């Protein structure tokens, strides 16, 4: 299962009394599907995986599977320690997910071989294709990446580190390994606001990326994606200058805004996704006002270049 293209990472809405709002989540997922992504990744980083209980997680994944109804694959996040990650992986399988995104192990730093052992351990807990999320304390060497080809369930690597040179080494090691699975193995650009780095990653053979913007401004996210694929640098450059660069500057002001700012954007779009759960903090009114202005600038840029 090799995914290529624009990928959606939906939010997890919460009510004012701190319950998962499955009704709003279902609406959110339907809106995401309407934007035409290649796959859904629910209950992952943007979906506040670490804030969910196992029963909540099961409900979120099951709702996404029901709404998707086979129109596109649904991957679910799994992470934490090895036993906890297995528990979430098993819950995802029961809920009908098509695959898993394995987040870094909880706090523990080990060797690259230790990470491979962890991946193998979790993969054995549920019969689902698995994408490995490389970031923080989960860093692969080229040799370790090649070992993943011998774990049949592992189908790709999502990179959240942003070290293009190191990622090129992984891609090259896998593609040149001679392994029967090497050509079908997938690579995902998973950096926050990945549109900023899409050109650099595609140059090293990473042709799919996650878009947090898709969660709250699908018109902008899909316009950027279509323009990039068509080689329309006028549109992509305009959006980078008028929307993405200001968005990243605002996002970087407060730790955790990679999620909280996306939720604020979804609220501005009319979707009642509620607050973030701690330790994340919600956006300030001033920052939400700034986000609204950035969105207006992005849409004005689209109008100026003639994108409806």
């Amino acid at each position: 299962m090799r995914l290529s293209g624009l990928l959606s990472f939906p939010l997890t809405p919460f009510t004012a009394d701190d319950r998962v709002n499955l009704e709003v989540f279902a609406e959110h997922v339907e809106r995401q599907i309407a934007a035409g992504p290649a796959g859904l990744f629910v209950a992952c980083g943007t979906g506040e995986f670490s804030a969910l209980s196992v029963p909540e997680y099961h409900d979120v994944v099951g709702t996404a599977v029901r709404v998707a109804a086979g129109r596109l694959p649904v991957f679910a996040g799994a992470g934490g320690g090895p036993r906890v990650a297995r528990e979430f992986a098993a819950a995802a399988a029961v809920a009908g997910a098509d695959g898993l995104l394995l987040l870094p192990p909880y706090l523990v730093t080990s060797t690259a071989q230790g990470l491979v052992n962890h991946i193998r351990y979790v993969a054995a807990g549920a019969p689902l294709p698995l994408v490995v999320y490389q970031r923080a304390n989960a860093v692969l060497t080229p040799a370790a990446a090649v070992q993943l080809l011998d774990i049949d369930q592992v189908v790709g690597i999502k990179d959240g580190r942003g070290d293009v040179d190191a990622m090129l080494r992984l891609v090259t090691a896998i593609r040149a390994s001679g392994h029967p699975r090497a050509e079908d193995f997938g690579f995902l650009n998973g950096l926050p606001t990945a549109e900023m780095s899409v050109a650099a990653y595609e140059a090293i053979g990473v042709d799919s990326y996650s878009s947090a913007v898709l969660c709250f401004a699908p018109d902008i996210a899909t316009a950027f994606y279509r323009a990039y694929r068509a080689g329309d640098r006028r549109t992509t450059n305009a959006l980078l200058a008028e929307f993405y660069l200001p968005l990243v500057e605002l996002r970087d002001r407060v730790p955790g805004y990679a999620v909280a700012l996306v939720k604020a954007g979804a609220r501005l779009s009319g979707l009642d996704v509620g607050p973030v759960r701690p330790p994340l903090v919600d956006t300030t009114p001033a920052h939400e006002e700034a986000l609204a202005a950035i969105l207006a600038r992005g849409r004005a840029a689209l109008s100026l270049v003639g994108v409806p």
Side-chain angles (χ1 to χ4, degrees), residues 14 48-52 254-257 259-260 275-282:
F14 299 117
E48 296 180 73
F49 163 80
S50 63
L52 299 176
V254 179
Y257 263 21
V259 177
V276 294
R277 276 182 174 169
L280 296 176
V281 295
D282 285 307

Side-chain angles (χ1 to χ4, degrees), residues 246 248-255 257 287 290:
V248 168
E249 193 278 330
L250 179 59
R251 183 201 69 202
D252 289 348
R253 292 186 192 181
V254 179
Y257 263 21
H287 286 164

Side-chain angles (χ1 to χ4, degrees), residues 53-223:
S53 68
V54 174
E56 287 175 329
Y57 172 89
H58 179 274
D59 288 344
V60 166
V61 177
T63 299
V65 169
R66 174 180 59 79
V67 174
R71 288 177 286 175
L72 74 177
V74 176
F75 280 66
R83 294 295 299 181
V84 171
R86 268 194 174 187
E87 186 175 359
F88 278 101
V94 170
D98 299 296
L100 299 168
L101 176 68
L102 180 59
L103 282 66
Y106 177 71
L107 287 181
V108 177
T109 300
S110 182
T111 63
Q113 186 59 55
L115 179 60
V116 171
N117 294 343
H118 174 76
I119 294 164
R120 182 178 290 110
Y121 184 92
V122 177
L128 293 174
L130 184 151
V131 174
V132 174
Y133 196 178
Q134 173 177 255
R135 62 177 294 174
N137 60 327
V139 179
L140 294 158
T141 63
V146 171
Q147 285 190 59
L148 299 182
L149 294 169
D150 291 325
I151 307 174
D152 289 344
Q153 286 168 247
V154 178
V155 297
I157 296 169
K158 179 188 179 189
D159 183 59
R161 296 180 68 214
D163 186 332
V164 176
D165 177 82
M167 191 61 183
L168 171 63
R169 295 169 191 267
L170 299 191
V171 173
T172 302
I174 287 177
R175 294 287 188 245
S177 67
H179 196 283
R181 298 179 59 226
E183 287 304 314
D184 290 330
F185 198 83
F187 298 98
L188 287 64
N189 173 0
L191 290 177
T193 320
E195 286 88 349
M196 297 285 293
S197 56
V198 64
Y201 272 79
E202 186 161 52
I204 64 169
V206 181
D207 60 0
S208 63
Y209 65 90
S210 58
S211 176
V213 173
L214 195 69
C215 286
F216 65 94
D219 54 335
I220 294 175
T222 55

